C-alpha cells in the first residue's frame, strides 16, 4: 500500500469520489430551487443510471483503445472540463428551462464518463499491488470510498446551505482538477498495452464471454444480479418511507439509519484489512455466511418497529454486504487476467445499472401497493435464494493463485 503510484490512485480516486457527492448535492439542490418539485430530483438517479448503462456497454471498446490509465485520466479530466463549462454557462444563462436542461445534460455526461472510470480503476489495482495483498487493499479502498461518501453527504448538506449550489459545484471543480493530476501521475505497465485489431462487437462481448466461461465469475455475476435487486430496499427513498410509516419517528432517524449503514460498510472494510489472510483462505465460507446474515438482518429489519434496533440492524446489514462484496471483487481480480478484467467489470456494471433502475421502480410500486414492510421481506427472500446458490456452488467459488502468493 506504500507504492507511490498506488498512492496516486487512491488519493485521486478519493478526491473524485468526494467531488462526485458534492456535485450531486449541489446539482439536486439547484434543480429543486429551479423547479420546486421533488419529481425533478427523482430523475437524477434515473438519468444517471441510464447514462452509465450506455457507457458501461461500450466501455470495452474505449478501454481497449485508450488503455486503463489513460482512460482514467481522460475520464476525470473531461469531467473537470464539463463541470467548468457548466458553471460558466450557468452564470450567463438566465432562462429557467435552459438552466434545467443544462443541469440534466451535465448529469448525463458525467455519469457517462463514470461508466469508463469504474472498471478502469478496478482493473488497475492488480497491476499496482501483488495478489497476496489484494483483499487488504480492496478493503482499504472500500473504507476510503465509504469515508468519502459519509463525509460528502454530511459536509455537502451543510455547505449547500451555507455557500449555495454554485459555490459547492466550484469546490467540486477544484477536487476534480486535483484528482485529474493525481491520476496523471500514475505509472503502470499495462498488460494490454498492445492493441488487438478486433471488431468492435468482439471487444464488447469479451467480458460477457469471460463471465460465461468461468465458473467462479458466473456464480458471482448471478449473485451480484440478485443482490442488486434485493439491495434496492435500502435506498434512501424506501428507508424514508419506513421511518415514517413503520418506526413513526421524525426524519432525523432517516439520516441516522443511513449513517449506521455506512458505518457497517466501514467496519467490514476494517475487518478485511485486519484479517485479510484468514478471510482469503476461507473465501467461500465467508461469502456464504455474510450472504446468510444479510438475509436475516433484512428480514428482521422489515418486521422491526423499534428505532434503536433499526440502527443496529442497518449497521449489521452494511457489514455483511460489504464483506461479501470485497471477497467477490478480490476473487475477480485474482482469477481474471489483467487484460480481460476491465471488460468483466464493464459487463457487470452494465447489467447492474439496468437492474438497479428497474428494481428501484418496481420496489417503489410494491412499497405503495403492498406496504414497505413487505418489500423488505421480498428482499430477504431474494437473498435467501442467493444463499442457496452459494451453498450449491460453493466449491467453485475460490481464489486462483492463493497458495502460490502466500
Amino acid at each position: 500500500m506504500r507504492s507511490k503510484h498506488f498512492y496516486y490512485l487512491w488519493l485521486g480516486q478519493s478526491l473524485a469520489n468526494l467531488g462526485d457527492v458534492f456535485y450531486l448535492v449541489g446539482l439536486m439542490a439547484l434543480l429543486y430551487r429551479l423547479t420546486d418539485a421533488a419529481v425533478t430530483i427523482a430523475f437524477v438517479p434515473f438519468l444517471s443510471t441510464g447514462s452509465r448503462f450506455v457507457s458501461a456497454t461500450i466501455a470495452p471498446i474505449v478501454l481497449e483503445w485508450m488503455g486503463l490509465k489513460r482512460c482514467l485520466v481522460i475520464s476525470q479530466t473531461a469531467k473537470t472540463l464539463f463541470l467548468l463549462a457548466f458553471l460558466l454557462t450557468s452564470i450567463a444563462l438566465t432562462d429557467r428551462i435552459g438552466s434545467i436542461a443544462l443541469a440534466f445534460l451535465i448529469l448525463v455526461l458525467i455519469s457517462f464518463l463514470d461508466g469508463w472510470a469504474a472498471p478502469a480503476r478496478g482493473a488497475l489495482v492488480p497491476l499496482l499491488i501483488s495478489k497476496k495483498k489484494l483483499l487488504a487493499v480492496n478493503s482499504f479502498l472500500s473504507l476510503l470510498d465509504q469515508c468519502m461518501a459519509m463525509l460528502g453527504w454530511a459536509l455537502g448538506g451543510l455547505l449547500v446551505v451555507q455557500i449555495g449550489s454554485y459555490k459547492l459545484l466550484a469546490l467540486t471543480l477544484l477536487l476534480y482538477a486535483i484528482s485529474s493530476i493525481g491520476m496523471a501521475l500514475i505509472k503502470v505497465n499495462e498488460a494490454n498495452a498492445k492493441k488487438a485489431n478486433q471488431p468492435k462487437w468482439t471487444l464488447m462481448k469479451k467480458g460477457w464471454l469471460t463471465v460465461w466461461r468461468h465458473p467462479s465469475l458466473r456464480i458471482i455475476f448471478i449473485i451480484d444480479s440478485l443482490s442488486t435487486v434485493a439491495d434496492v430496499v435500502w435506498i434512501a427513498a424506501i428507508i424514508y418511507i419506513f421511518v415514517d410509516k413503520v418506526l413513526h419517528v421524525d426524519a432525523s432517524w432517516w439520516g441516522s439509519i443511513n449513517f449506521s449503514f455506512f458505518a457497517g460498510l466501514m467496519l467490514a472494510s476494517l475487518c478485511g484489512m485486519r484479517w485479510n489472510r484468514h478471510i482469503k483462505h476461507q473465501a467461500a465460507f465467508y461469502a456464504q455466511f455474510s450472504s446468510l446474515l444479510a438475509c436475516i438482518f433484512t428480514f428482521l429489519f422489515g418486521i422491526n418497529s423499534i428505532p434503536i434496533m433499526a440502527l443496529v440492524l442497518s449497521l449489521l446489514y452494511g457489514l455483511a454486504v460489504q464483506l461479501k462484496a470485497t471477497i467477490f471483487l478480490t476473487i475477480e481480480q485474482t482469477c481474471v487476467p489483467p487484460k480481460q478484467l476491465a471488460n468483466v467489470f464493464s459487463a457487470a456494471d452494465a447489467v447492474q445499472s439496468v437492474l438497479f433502475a428497474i428494481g428501484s421502480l418496481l420496489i417503489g410500486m410494491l412499497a405503495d401497493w403492498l406496504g414497505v414492510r413487505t418489500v423488505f421481506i421480498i428482499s430477504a427472500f431474494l437473498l435467501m435464494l442467493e444463499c442457496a446458490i452459494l451453498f450449491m456452488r460453493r466449491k467453485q467459488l475460490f481464489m486462483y493463485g492463493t497458495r502460490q502468493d502466500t
Side-chain angles (χ1 to χ4, degrees), residues 202-260:
T202 302
L203 292 173
M204 288 176 65
K205 68 181 182 180
K206 263 187 175 182
W208 301 97
L209 291 174
T210 303
V211 169
W212 178 253
R213 292 168 180 168
H214 200 295
S216 294
L217 295 182
R218 202 161 56 236
I219 295 168
I220 291 173
F221 190 83
I222 294 169
I223 295 302
D224 281 346
S225 297
L226 283 171
S227 293
T228 298
V229 179
D231 291 347
V232 167
V233 298
W234 293 91
I235 63 175
I238 300 298
I239 296 297
Y240 186 89
I241 298 171
F242 190 88
V243 166
D244 181 50
K245 302 293 185 182
V246 177
L247 299 183
H248 303 294
V249 289
D250 60 61
S252 65
W253 284 88
W254 174 55
S256 299
I257 291 173
N258 285 321
F259 181 87
S260 181

Side-chain angles (χ1 to χ4, degrees), residues 58-372:
I58 65 169
I61 300 172
V62 178
L63 292 166
E64 179 75 16
W65 173 45
M66 293 186 184
L68 300 176
K69 182 229 170 169
R70 190 178 170 210
C71 183
L72 204 59
V73 173
I74 290 176
S75 171
Q76 192 58 43
T77 304
K79 285 169 64 175
T80 307
L81 295 175
F82 282 148
L83 187 57
L84 175 62
F86 170 75
L87 285 171
L88 294 175
T89 308
S90 295
I91 293 171
L93 199 62
T94 56
D95 178 47
R96 177 171 161 271
I97 301 299
S99 297
I100 296 170
L102 185 63
F104 281 132
L105 176 61
I106 191 66
L107 172 70
V108 169
L109 290 173
I110 288 182
S111 299
F112 186 82
L113 291 167
D114 281 335
W116 301 345
R121 185 191 98 158
L124 264 180
V125 172
L127 299 179
L128 297 170
I129 298 295
S130 64
K131 285 185 178 180
K132 65 182 180 181
K133 297 179 180 178
L134 273 177
L135 184 60
V137 166
N138 286 327
S139 299
F140 171 70
L141 291 174
S142 296
L143 178 63
L144 284 176
D145 289 346
Q146 305 315 324
C147 284
M148 291 301 105
M150 290 178 68
L151 177 64
W153 286 108
L155 189 57
L158 292 173
L159 288 174
V160 77
V161 174
Q162 296 296 322
I163 65 177
S165 301
Y166 285 113
K167 289 183 179 178
L168 182 58
L169 291 172
L171 178 58
T172 302
L173 180 65
L174 177 62
L175 292 173
Y176 277 179
I178 299 173
S179 174
S180 300
I181 295 171
M183 302 295 187
L185 292 173
I186 299 170
K187 289 185 180 179
V188 61
N189 182 22
E190 295 187 32
N192 58 341
K194 292 184 178 179
K195 309 294 188 299
N197 189 19
Q198 301 180 54
K200 290 182 173 58
W201 172 245
T202 302
L203 292 173
M204 288 176 65
K205 68 181 182 180
K206 263 187 175 182
W208 301 97
L209 291 174
T210 303
V211 169
W212 178 253
R213 292 168 180 168
H214 200 295
S216 294
L217 295 182
R218 202 161 56 236
I219 295 168
I220 291 173
F221 190 83
I222 294 169
I223 295 302
D224 281 346
S225 297
L226 283 171
S227 293
T228 298
V229 179
D231 291 347
V232 167
V233 298
W234 293 91
I235 63 175
I238 300 298
I239 296 297
Y240 186 89
I241 298 171
F242 190 88
V243 166
D244 181 50
K245 302 293 185 182
V246 177
L247 299 183
H248 303 294
V249 289
D250 60 61
S252 65
W253 284 88
W254 174 55
S256 299
I257 291 173
N258 285 321
F259 181 87
S260 181
F261 173 75
F262 278 111
L265 299 181
M266 292 175 63
L267 184 59
S269 298
L270 289 171
C271 290
M273 293 172 65
R274 175 63 180 83
W275 294 293
N276 69 90
R277 186 180 295 270
H278 177 70
I279 294 172
K280 181 170 64 173
H281 284 292
Q282 301 292 331
F285 168 78
Y286 279 105
Q288 186 178 348
F289 184 61
S290 60
S291 181
L292 178 61
L293 289 179
C295 172
I296 293 171
F297 296 146
T298 300
F299 178 78
L300 291 177
F301 188 93
I303 64 173
N304 171 63
S305 300
I306 305 171
I308 294 295
M309 185 58 67
L311 291 179
V312 175
L313 291 170
S314 179
L315 182 144
L316 293 174
Y317 176 80
L319 191 156
V321 295
Q322 182 61 34
L323 179 60
K324 180 187 66 177
T326 304
I327 290 171
F328 281 0
L329 174 60
T330 306
I331 292 174
E332 290 170 327
Q333 290 175 334
T334 306
C335 66
V336 179
K339 187 175 182 178
Q340 302 173 25
L341 194 54
N343 295 331
V344 170
F345 287 147
S346 299
D349 201 29
V351 171
Q352 288 164 21
S353 295
V354 172
L355 289 176
F356 182 82
I358 296 172
S360 298
L361 295 174
L362 183 61
I363 291 295
M365 289 188 292
L366 289 175
D368 287 334
W369 181 34
L370 302 174
V372 71

